[in-house]
Amino acid sequence: MTTRTESEEMSTATPAQAPHSDAPTGHKPAEGRVGAGLFDPGQLVKSLPDACRKLDPRVMVKSPVMFVVWIGSVLTTVFSFKDPGDWFGWAISAWLWLTVIFANLAEAVAEGRGKAQADTLRKAKTDTVARRVDGTEVPGTELRIGDLVVCEAGDIIPGDGDVVEGVASVDESAITGESAPVIRESGGDRSAVTGGTKVLSDRIVIRITTKPGETFIDRMINLVEGAARQKTPNEIALNILLASLTIVFLLAVATLPPFADYAGTHLTMVVLVALLVCLIPTTIGALLSAIGIAGMDRLVQRNVLAMSGRAVEAAGDVSTLLLDKTGTITLGNRQAAEFVPVNGVAEAEVADAAQLSSLADETPEGRSIVVLAKERYGLRERRQGELSGAEWIAFTAQTRMSGVDVDGRRIRKGAAGSVVAWVRERGGEVSEDASALTDRISAAGGTPLLVAVEDTEGARVLGVIHLKDVVKEGMRERFDELRRMGIKTVMITGDNPLTAKAIAEEAGVDDFLAEATPEDKMALIKREQAGGKLVAMTGDGTNDAPALAQADVGVAMNTGTSAAKEAGNMVDLDSNPTKLIEIVEIGKQLLITRGALTTFSIANDVAKYFAIIPALFAAVYPGLDKLNIMDLSSPDSAILSAVIFNALIIIALVPLALRGVRYRPVSADRLLRRNLGIYGLGGLIAPFIGIKIIDLLISLIPGIG
């Protein structure tokens, strides 16, 4: 296992979360600026040409609803040219074209927000010269999978790969945005390097693992520009539903001319097209693509690379979450929590001996013992050089002890078995209460370290140090939120079941898997999936790759191996395992936003029906005038008002589509009631108010009202 440097720990916090990665999940720092880009004049100017370019029928046909509107715009324009004096036809044509452009503008704005990041990434994607191990130099674009290249201090890494020899400090700021360098070394789970990053020190040999044009930066550029975004299954299903509704309304509108002729009135092609456009679900049809792009963009803002939109959507439907204990639920390094003396020994004496024996222990656990003695017992931290004549015993994995021989005393601290053996070698005995204390701490999920001394009274145990795997602050609240979402949390750990149970109870997870092997993880995922559940998990090692590939949402750490990153369908560039919780929330927000705006759009259509149909036939069938509850001034004004409202509501809802509907962890039935109450009722009422206001404004225009 590799030891993590302080700078690497710093690099795992996102800019929004630093210095602590356990900020409440409800905090969405990046979202405050998401919707703002719509009304930024610069962004609008940049996006408008793209929106106009999307008027190409080969592009429009990908959205069936908006393609129908595009065809309607062409037809009304043609008929307007046939009758140039018909102001109504020209007005309808203009607003239908604006409807199509506004729909394209929503998608263009969503895509444009990633262009700046893509430009930054392109700057990082430099054409470098690679130095092979045989001494030959070739352009980085000519490297192939399996090639071995050498990188030294100051070199730009020419391609994605794994370190197979050496250790180096690497600047990954071009990828992660974090300036703190990270350590990359061979033989561990932190061997992966990314093309375009810079070696700051030492020398490493890298085995290339990707082809030119398929590197990490290439995939990120494609992602943020939308070039690689495929429609997800739910999005395809919704498109089919919208297309079906469009066909139904098309057939319904097609039957109206015969009825109108029979009733003695005539419906022009312009009126029929306007009616069709207002009745089909144009609002959600216009915003559907923008919603998907914005969901992917929210992940990019959190430095998460999703290999497919399917993974983002699956995150929203996840019902089981597998989380590593170390570094995810806990801080990762065990810390000293208390000093417990045996009978007849003062607690301060144990603290003093524990601190002295830990000065030669450079592990995080040893440092925490020194700090605890200083903070809780007021013992000044002494340096090794301050004790003259002292012989220091450094901690090693073989002895599992550290200590000091000073002033006629020998003090040792370490694992229970090692210290007990040391005491008995010197003719001492270990008291029963020392064994009882050790068992009690182990049962509570902690790690007991014994402190012993040999002096004129002989060798004996003074007490026990309680090392505790500290659960991150706020984790219980996070898991409570996940539980309210209906998500089951499972902690994965290599600890024994007793320790795992104690940590699981403290953290508040629903279940745990102790002494986990790769096979155990795979079996657990398959068991959950067999029950119809979607599973998400994180991992960074080669041994995690099978489970990451099996999981519906597999989030690989950027610091991990290439095998892990290839197996997962998401990569966390910050290598912060707790971000999996945020990914689930982003996925749910995407699905909720899509559902909310679909509800609003369909409710809109119902209201527009009451605006147009009575206006069309009230002159022939006076009884229909009772349905003209908005008291619109004329048939032409009613139709034109509905078309104008239909266009403006699209542009008004773009900020919501980009920002997303705020997600709260509630049950599905409460979520449905909220959607119907806010977006269903709102979609029903808004057109009545909006169309009436537009009608009043139109009626003020001489010769029209």
Side-chain angles (χ1 to χ4, degrees):
M1 179 182 292
T2 57
T3 302
R4 209 167 181 183
T5 66
E6 181 180 356
S7 61
E8 183 124 294
E9 291 288 353
M10 291 171 61
S11 71
T12 61
T14 63
Q17 294 172 325
H20 300 294
S21 62
D22 54 352
T25 53
H27 180 53
K28 299 283 187 288
E31 288 182 10
R33 62 178 182 272
V34 173
L38 173 68
F39 297 105
D40 175 21
Q43 183 66 63
L44 281 175
V45 170
K46 291 178 182 178
S47 300
L48 194 56
D50 289 335
C52 294
R53 280 192 288 269
K54 290 178 182 289
L55 292 174
D56 186 333
R58 293 169 297 182
V59 176
M60 295 301 304
V61 75
K62 296 177 182 178
S63 175
V65 176
M66 297 315 300
F67 185 58
V68 170
V69 181
W70 182 88
I71 293 175
S73 304
V74 173
L75 288 175
T76 56
T77 303
V78 170
F79 280 96
S80 295
F81 273 108
K82 288 184 177 181
D83 187 5
D86 181 16
W87 69 267
F88 179 74
W90 284 110
I92 293 294
S93 298
W95 279 101
L96 289 184
W97 280 114
L98 284 176
T99 302
V100 179
I101 291 174
F102 287 166
N104 291 344
L105 189 62
E107 185 175 2
V109 169
E111 292 173 346
R113 288 164 54 211
K115 295 266 178 92
Q117 184 166 357
D119 291 340
T120 301
L121 290 171
R122 282 197 179 90
K123 292 177 183 177
K125 185 186 172 185
T126 56
D127 293 329
T128 59
V129 175
R131 196 164 60 254
R132 290 196 176 109
V133 291
D134 59 8
T136 59
E137 294 186 352
V138 296
T141 53
E142 294 183 10
L143 290 174
R144 295 295 178 264
I145 295 176
D147 285 352
L148 296 177
V149 298
V150 178
C151 288
E152 297 177 340
D155 290 347
I156 300 295
I157 296 175
D160 295 357
D162 289 325
V163 179
V164 295
E165 180 184 320
V167 58
S169 176
V170 178
D171 176 9
E172 295 187 342
S173 58
I175 306 297
T176 65
E178 289 292 328
S179 58
V182 294
I183 299 299
R184 294 291 172 260
E185 58 187 333
S186 63
D189 289 342
R190 305 190 185 282
S191 59
V193 291
T194 306
T197 58
K198 185 177 183 179
V199 177
L200 298 180
S201 67
D202 303 298
R203 174 185 183 275
I204 50 176
V205 177
I206 301 166
R207 178 183 289 114
I208 299 299
T209 57
T210 57
K211 299 177 182 177
E214 297 179 7
T215 65
F216 220 64
I217 291 182
D218 289 314
R219 283 184 285 176
M220 285 189 69
I221 291 172
N222 287 335
L223 172 67
V224 298
E225 291 191 324
R229 198 187 85 87
Q230 303 294 322
K231 290 187 184 296
T232 62
N234 282 350
E235 197 173 346
I236 293 171
L238 185 54
N239 263 317
I240 293 172
L241 173 63
L242 298 180
S244 302
L245 289 174
T246 301
I247 293 172
V248 169
F249 282 117
L250 181 62
L251 295 175
V253 171
T255 62
L256 289 179
F259 286 107
D261 291 340
Y262 177 78
T265 187
H266 177 65
L267 298 179
T268 65
M269 180 60 70
V270 171
V271 169
L272 290 174
V273 169
L275 176 62
L276 175 63
V277 169
C278 288
L279 293 184
I280 63 177
T282 50
T283 307
I284 184 61
L287 298 175
L288 187 58
S289 181
I291 293 170
I293 294 172
M296 301 281 282
D297 186 59
R298 280 192 287 275
L299 277 179
V300 172
Q301 289 179 15
R302 286 163 175 78
N303 270 1
V304 177
L305 174 64
M307 305 303 181
S308 69
R310 185 189 299 263
V312 186
E313 219 168 60
D317 287 327
V318 159
S319 49
T320 302
L321 204 57
L322 307 186
L323 298 154
D324 279 334
K325 180 196 69 134
T326 305
T328 304
I329 295 174
T330 64
L331 292 176
N333 296 321
R334 294 170 300 175
Q335 297 185 353
E338 61 177 334
F339 301 121
V340 186
V342 299
N343 292 332
V345 177
E347 193 171 335
E349 184 180 355
V350 178
D352 181 65
Q355 187 188 62
L356 283 171
S357 58
S358 299
L359 293 177
D361 183 358
E362 296 297 333
T363 65
E365 291 84 356
R367 295 291 87 202
S368 73
I369 293 170
V370 174
V371 171
L372 180 65
K374 176 184 177 182
E375 293 180 348
R376 184 171 298 181
Y377 299 95
L379 296 176
R380 183 176 62 85
E381 182 179 347
R382 290 157 287 188
R383 306 292 179 184
Q384 294 184 24
E386 294 181 22
L387 300 175
S388 59
E391 183 179 346
W392 300 98
I393 312 299
F395 175 85
T396 66
Q398 291 73 32
T399 63
R400 297 196 300 165
M401 288 193 306
S402 65
V404 61
D405 296 342
V406 64
D407 298 334
R409 293 186 302 163
R410 294 182 176 181
I411 307 172
R412 297 292 184 272
K413 171 272 305 175
S418 299
V419 173
V420 167
W422 182 83
V423 170
R424 288 176 177 168
E425 283 176 3
R426 282 152 182 75
E429 291 294 331
V430 179
S431 60
E432 291 183 4
D433 59 330
S435 300
L437 290 172
T438 300
D439 294 339
R440 189 194 78 189
I441 291 172
S442 297
T447 302
L449 298 180
L450 293 183
V451 180
V453 65
E454 182 186 17
D455 54 17
T456 55
E457 298 180 19
R460 63 192 186 281
V461 172
L462 297 177
V464 185
I465 303 170
H466 181 183
L467 288 184
K468 187 177 181 182
D469 206 350
V470 180
V471 174
K472 290 182 177 179
E473 184 181 351
M475 290 307 296
R476 176 173 284 277
E477 288 74 15
R478 286 193 181 195
F479 293 135
D480 287 342
E481 283 191 22
L482 290 170
R483 200 170 293 111
R484 287 194 293 272
M485 295 181 200
I487 297 176
K488 174 185 176 184
T489 52
V490 181
M491 183 183 78
I492 308 293
T493 178
D495 289 340
N496 63 72
L498 200 61
T499 301
K501 182 183 179 193
I503 295 293
E505 289 176 351
E506 183 179 354
V509 295
D510 298 309
D511 201 357
F512 65 90
L513 179 65
E515 298 176 342
T517 63
E519 293 76 16
D520 293 334
K521 295 178 186 178
M522 281 284 289
L524 175 59
I525 293 173
K526 289 180 178 179
R527 190 163 61 247
E528 293 289 324
Q529 290 172 332
K533 298 177 180 177
L534 295 185
V535 181
M537 76 160 288
T538 62
D540 60 358
T542 301
N543 63 340
D544 291 323
L548 287 170
Q550 181 66 36
D552 299 284
V553 180
V555 184
M557 301 295 102
N558 188 38
T559 55
T561 61
S562 294
K565 290 196 284 188
E566 290 297 325
N569 48 24
M570 290 188 187
V571 177
D572 177 15
L573 302 179
D574 294 325
S575 301
N576 177 11
T578 60
K579 201 180 290 183
L580 181 56
I581 299 173
E582 289 185 57
I583 291 171
V584 170
E585 289 183 342
I586 291 171
K588 286 189 174 295
Q589 187 182 35
L590 170 65
L591 297 178
I592 290 170
T593 302
R594 189 181 294 159
L597 292 182
T598 300
T599 304
F600 186 92
S601 179
I602 294 174
N604 246 314
D605 297 336
V606 175
K608 285 179 284 189
Y609 171 88
F610 282 96
I612 295 180
I613 297 298
L616 289 178
F617 293 100
V620 180
Y621 301 106
L624 286 177
D625 196 51
K626 294 179 180 178
L627 294 178
N628 186 15
I629 57 180
M630 285 182 275
D631 192 26
L632 301 178
S633 56
S634 70
D636 286 352
S637 177
I639 296 170
L640 182 57
S641 298
V643 170
I644 293 174
F645 176 83
N646 193 62
L648 295 180
I649 197 65
I650 293 173
I651 207 72
L653 289 175
V654 172
L656 182 61
L658 298 183
R659 184 177 62 249
V661 175
R662 184 179 178 185
Y663 171 70
R664 294 185 183 89
V666 295
S667 60
D669 58 335
R670 286 186 61 189
L671 184 61
L672 177 60
R673 287 198 301 270
R674 190 186 77 172
N675 263 9
L676 292 176
I678 297 176
Y679 299 98
L681 188 60
L684 201 60
I685 294 174
F688 285 98
I689 299 173
I691 291 173
K692 179 60 179 176
I693 293 174
I694 296 171
D695 174 72
L696 290 173
L697 295 174
I698 290 176
S699 65
L700 297 176
I701 302 175
I704 295 181

